[in-house]
């Protein structure tokens, strides 16, 4: 069974001595219910997070020209 996910992202960039940024958001199902345990990973890296019981995730990563986000459940 395939489910459709809606992801709301909040991108915030902050520069520090390490030049990092943060991506966060909430993953919900088609009925807008939070989906826990969804993996959100920057492809080609080991940087990622899993959603909590409210579907929320947050990832902090080094600044890069581009990341592709991979979502799996």
């Amino acid at each position: 069974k395939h489910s459709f996910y809606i992801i709301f992202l909040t991108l915030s960039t902050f520069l520090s001595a390490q030049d990092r940024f943060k991506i966060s958001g909430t993953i919900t199902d088609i009925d807008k219910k939070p989906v826990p345990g969804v993996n959100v990973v920057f492809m080609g890296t080991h940087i990622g997070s899993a959603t909590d019981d409210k579907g929320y995730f947050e990832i902090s990563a080094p600044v890069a020209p581009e990341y592709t986000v991979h979502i799996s459940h």
Side-chain angles (χ1 to χ4, degrees), residues 13-57:
T13 302
F14 61 93
L15 296 177
S16 66
Q18 298 173 344
D19 290 335
R20 298 182 71 80
F21 78 101
K22 179 174 72 173
I23 180 174
S24 62
T26 303
I27 297 183
T28 60
D29 65 15
I30 199 157
D31 297 319
K32 298 187 179 180
K33 294 180 183 176
V35 183
V38 174
N39 295 311
V40 183
V41 179
F42 292 136
M43 288 182 64
T45 75
H46 296 285
I47 301 169
S49 180
T51 57
D52 64 13
D53 60 337
K54 296 178 184 171
Y56 179 79
F57 72 92

Side-chain angles (χ1 to χ4, degrees), residues 3 5 35-39 51 70-73:
S3 299
Y5 297 104
V35 183
V38 174
N39 295 311
T51 57
H70 178 75
I71 300 169
S72 63
H73 188 245

